[in-house]
Amino acid sequence: MKRTPHILAAGAAALIMTGVQTGVQGTASAAPAAGPWTGTWAAAPQSGGDTFTQQTVRQIVRTSIAGTSARVRLSNAFGNAPLTVQDIHLAHRTSGSSVNAATDRTVTFGGQRAVTIPAGGSAVSDEVAFPVDALSDVAVSFHLPKTTGPVTYHQSGLQTNYVAAGDVSGNANLTNARTTNSYYFLSGLDVVNPAAEGAVVTLGASITDGIASRNDANRRWPNELASRLAGAGRTVGVLNQGISGNQLLTDGAGQSALNRFDRDVLSQPGVRWVIFADDPINDLSNTNPTADRLIGGLKQLITRAHERGVKFLCSTLTPFEGAGGWKPELETKRAAVNSFIRGSGSGCDGVVDQDAATHDPARPTKFRAEYDSGDHLHPNEAGLRAIAGAVDPALLR
C-alpha cells in the first residue's frame, strides 16, 4: 500500500478537502473533523488490475438508514499515481442505469467539481442537500478524465454497476454502457440524520460479503440486518466491510483484518459497534495457524476497538465440513476459537452465534441442509437471513 505524508497509519482516517488547486479542483489533504455524519453504505477497498480512461462510472449503492443530506467518500488507497475524479453526481436510481433526473445533485470537493486524490489517499466530499431514504438505491456517478492506473476497488460487489464512454455523469440514462459487479474508487456514502444511533461495521470475508446470494437482490446478511433493524424502529447504519477470501492474520484477498482494521472499521463515520465474523475460516483453510494465534489476533482487534470506545461483537465461526480442504484438525481449531468467543473471559462485548444459527443439530460440523448453498462453505440466502437473525438488537445499544 503506497502512502503519502497525509496517511497517518495503516487504515488511517479518510481525508477531506482543505486546499484547492488553481481554478479547477480540490486536493485531498487533512483528516476530517468530527461531525454529525453516520455511514449508510460502505465497501472495503482492495487493489485491482483494471484501468479507466475518459469514462463515466455509475455505481448503485443500497442504503441502510435515511438522511437529510449526504456526502461521498472516495478511495485511492491502492493507486500508484494521483487519481482525478470530476463531475460527481448523486441521484435516486429508478431502474437499471437510469436515475430520476429531478433528484440529481452535483457533488463538490472543497467547493470544486473535481478532486485529485494522492496515491494511498482518500477524499470526502462537501455536504450535499440530497434526501436519502432508508433501504433504497442511490446512484453515484463520476467521470475519470485521465488514465487511472491500477484501481482501488471492491471486487465482489454483487451489484450491477455501469461504465460508459465520455463524461455522461449527469445523464438520466446511460446508453451502450458495459456492466460490472465491482465497485471502483467508491468507499462510502454518509448521511446526516439527527435520530441516528450510530453505525455497526460488519467485518469479515465472503460470508459477510454475501457470496452465494443473488446479484442485485441485497440479500447479504448485513442487508438483512439493516432491514431487521429498520423494521424494529432502530436507526443504525450498517456498513458491510466484508472481502471475499479475507483473512484475520495474513494479507491476500485484501489486507488482513489486522492491517485494515483502522481504515475499514475505526475510521467509519459514526461507528459504535463492530461485528467480526468469518475471516478466521480462511486462515484455517489457507495457512492453518494454531487456534492460539487466531485467538491472539482476535484479542488484538478487541483491544484496538476498546481503545477507541467501539464495542466489539464476536461471531462464532460457521461450520464448513465438506468444503474443499476441510480436515478434522481444522474442526478442532474452529471449535477452540468458538469456545473462546463464548467464554466469559474473551473480552467480547457480545456474541453473535452464527454457528448455532446455521449448523445441523444432528451434525454440528456441517450446515443445516436448508442453509447450505451447495459448497458447504457459504450459506445460501436463507442461511444469511438466519445469521442476521442471530444478531440481538439489544447488543446495539
Side-chain angles (χ1 to χ4, degrees), residues 207 221 275 277-278 315-316 318-319 352-359 387 390:
I207 294 175
W221 73 257
I275 301 174
D278 49 314
S315 293
T316 53
T318 51
V352 178
D353 204 339
Q354 295 191 16
D355 173 48
T358 58
H359 73 227
I387 286 173

Side-chain angles (χ1 to χ4, degrees), residues 5 20 45 50 54 63 73-74 80 98 108 134 138 173 176 194 201 217 219 245 252 273 280-281 298 311 315 332:
V20 176
D50 293 344
Q54 297 182 4
T63 66
R73 286 184 284 130
L74 302 176
N80 60 12
S98 299
T108 60
V138 172
N173 304 293
N176 300 318
V201 177
R219 292 292 183 264
W273 311 272
I281 296 174
L298 181 56
K311 290 188 175 180
S315 293
T332 300

Side-chain angles (χ1 to χ4, degrees), residues 25-117:
Q25 59 196 23
T27 56
S29 54
W37 294 100
T38 304
T40 188
W41 174 89
Q46 300 172 254
S47 59
D50 293 344
T51 61
F52 294 90
T53 303
Q54 297 182 4
Q55 291 168 295
T56 291
V57 183
R58 176 164 292 172
Q59 303 177 87
I60 312 302
V61 307
R62 184 70 169 182
T63 66
S64 55
I65 61 172
T68 56
S69 57
R71 69 181 185 183
V72 171
R73 286 184 284 130
L74 302 176
S75 177
N76 191 27
F78 299 101
N80 60 12
L83 169 72
T84 297
V85 183
Q86 67 181 29
D87 198 18
I88 305 104
H89 289 255
L90 282 173
H92 293 294
R93 196 267 287 264
T94 53
S95 63
S97 67
S98 299
V99 301
N100 180 348
T103 68
D104 184 272
R105 299 291 183 271
T106 298
V107 178
T108 60
F109 288 74
Q112 305 300 313
R113 295 185 60 166
V115 58
T116 295
I117 308 170

Side-chain angles (χ1 to χ4, degrees), residues 274-363:
V274 55
I275 301 174
F276 180 61
D278 49 314
D279 272 12
I281 296 174
N282 287 324
D283 290 85
L284 290 173
S285 299
N286 294 327
T287 59
N288 193 11
T290 64
D292 284 344
R293 279 197 65 208
L294 291 173
I295 291 168
L298 181 56
K299 287 180 176 179
Q300 288 185 53
L301 295 184
I302 293 169
T303 298
R304 287 161 63 183
H306 288 169
E307 287 173 348
R308 292 283 293 273
V310 174
K311 290 188 175 180
F312 196 100
L313 308 178
C314 301
S315 293
T316 53
L317 305 180
T318 51
F320 62 104
E321 182 180 350
W326 182 91
K327 47 191 172 184
E329 71 174 87
L330 302 186
E331 179 57 34
T332 300
K333 295 176 182 180
R334 182 181 78 94
V337 172
N338 285 351
S339 178
F340 167 78
I341 288 171
R342 293 178 176 126
S344 60
S346 67
C348 303
D349 295 299
V351 175
V352 178
D353 204 339
Q354 295 191 16
D355 173 48
T358 58
H359 73 227
D360 183 345
R363 188 73 178 269

